[in-house]
Amino acid sequence: MTAGTARTIALGAALFGFWLVLSGHFTPFLLLMGVVSSALCVWIVARMEPIDETAVPLGLRPSLLLYWLWLGGEIVKSNIAVARMILARRISLLPRFILVPTSQQSDMGRVIFANSITLTPGTVTVETGGKALLVHALAESFSTSLPDMDRRVTAIEGR
Amino acid sequence: MTYLVAASAALFVAMLLVIIRAFAGPTLYDRILAVNSFGTLTVILIGMLGYLAERPDFLDIALLYALFNFVGTIAVLKFVRYRSLGRSAAGSGAEG
Amino acid sequence: MNLFIDIASWFFFSLGGLVLIVGALGMVRLPDFWSRIHAAGMIDTIGAEFMLVGMMLQSGLTLTTLKLLLIGLFIFIAGPTATHAIANAAWSAGEKPQGLARDDSARFAEGEKA
């Protein structure tokens, strides 16, 4: 089985799973309708653009889930820090634009890194480039964990 | 049940504060940001109402609203940037 | 067991509600657009997700929980994408923040040209 076939089947299976969750009925007729409509969707997607790594990212390692757990911890930490800033009697910010070098090989890896930066409050990706990201941070303390995050994203980026 | 009502009340307070920012501005991007956050809060509120009315079907509406909120924000940003929704972002300015 | 789930759900609701209100307060209180983005980030992450987890605990292992999980996953992925799109649009339109403690944007532009 080629990688393209695997991607097509994975896309169809994901769409059918989505149908099952939304419908909640398991009669044969409705299941058949689900299969037909997900097949139709796959056909339309294949006509629009090739089903490649960007459309169905099968290349990512399963440790993405572990990374999400770690990211959840980071999000909680920076939420507390931002909440403390908002609730302070006098708001004192030291905003800055910082350059964050990226070490990911693929576009998908860079997207995950940029999205993770935006997901943690206190840092927002403003502009993306080939070798670095421009990040707006509320204070110095928010940017200290970014090199560590970069390393972790590179580790989950597959092949 | 009581805490569902309390959580909905918290949502209403947050929505009120966010809509103040949407009206106050001052820049266009402040307003778009506020409306985007307002949409997220609306998704949670619709889900919450589903639990209060004991009708889980409301979650379908919440899911749809989440999708629409994202696409709507992107569409507004694209319109602000290119003054057109039909043009592709890659060929900026080339064709009408 | 039921009581335990109720307490956990109550915990997530109150914490999520608190974060939502603090984030919304930040949207009003913080001085400029660039700092308000971070307040919006609070609403999109902990605020929304904790409320959804609280609702998931209410319904247990059903299809409803699966739908909530889908909503949560979508907000988790699309939320920061929308935030980045807004920040990037403001940046491209020349919306510059005041009183920066450090500014690498010139160095970034140079690195992209090279």
Side-chain angles (χ1 to χ4, degrees), chain B residues 3, chain C residues 1-12 53-54 57-58:
Chain B
Y3 42 86
Chain C
M1 195 57 203
N2 222 338
L3 183 74
F4 177 72
I5 289 178
D6 264 3
I7 289 173
S9 162
W10 175 83
F11 168 80
F12 276 110
V53 171
L57 289 171
Q58 283 291 307

Side-chain angles (χ1 to χ4, degrees), chain A residues 18 20-24 26 68 71 75-76 79 82-83 86-91 93-99 115 118-134 136-138 140, chain C residues 19 22-23 25-26 29-32 34-35 37-39 41-42 45-46 50 63 66-67 70 73 75-77 80-81 83-84 87-88 91-92 97-105 107-108 111-112 114:
Chain A
F18 191 56
L20 281 185
V21 171
L22 288 189
S23 117
F26 298 96
W68 275 356
L71 186 65
I75 288 172
V76 169
N79 256 289
V82 174
I86 290 171
L87 293 175
R89 194 158 294 157
R90 276 191 71 252
I91 291 183
L93 307 171
L94 287 167
R96 58 196 65 224
F97 277 109
I98 47 173
L99 189 84
N115 237 357
T118 314
L119 206 47
T120 41
T123 47
V124 168
T125 313
V126 175
E127 187 73 273
T128 52
K131 286 175 242 99
L133 304 172
L134 188 63
H136 180 265
L138 263 188
E140 177 88 68
Chain C
V19 171
V22 170
L25 193 68
R29 261 199 97 191
L30 289 171
D32 68 339
W34 291 99
S35 47
I37 291 182
H38 304 293
M42 280 179 72
T45 56
I46 294 284
F50 270 29
L63 210 62
L66 221 53
K67 275 182 199 168
L70 275 177
L73 193 69
I75 291 180
F76 190 72
I77 293 171
T81 313
T83 311
H84 165 72
N88 189 263
W91 172 256
S92 310
Q98 300 295 312
L100 282 178
R102 185 179 150 194
D103 192 353
D104 283 350
S105 51
R107 201 150 69 86
F108 176 79
E112 281 312 301

Side-chain angles (χ1 to χ4, degrees), chain B residues 3-4 11 14 17 21 27 29-30 33-34 36-37 40-41 44 47-48 51 59-60 63 66-67 70 77 81, chain C residues 6 13 20 24 27-28 33 36-37 40 44 51 55 58-59 64 67-68 71 74 78 85-86 88 92-93 95:
Chain B
Y3 42 86
L4 281 174
L11 272 167
L17 289 168
R21 179 49 70 197
T27 69
Y29 302 101
D30 277 307
L33 187 70
N36 184 36
S37 295
T40 309
L41 292 171
I44 312 290
M48 209 63 101
Y51 276 84
L59 282 176
D60 296 339
L63 185 58
L67 298 166
F70 176 66
L77 283 170
R81 200 154 165 177
Chain C
D6 264 3
F13 274 141
L20 282 179
M27 290 284 279
V28 176
F33 167 72
R36 279 178 213 134
I37 291 182
D44 276 351
M51 290 302 233
M55 283 191 251
Q58 283 291 307
S59 54
T64 314
K67 275 182 199 168
L68 283 168
I71 298 178
F74 185 76
I86 297 171
N88 189 263
S92 310
E95 190 77 30

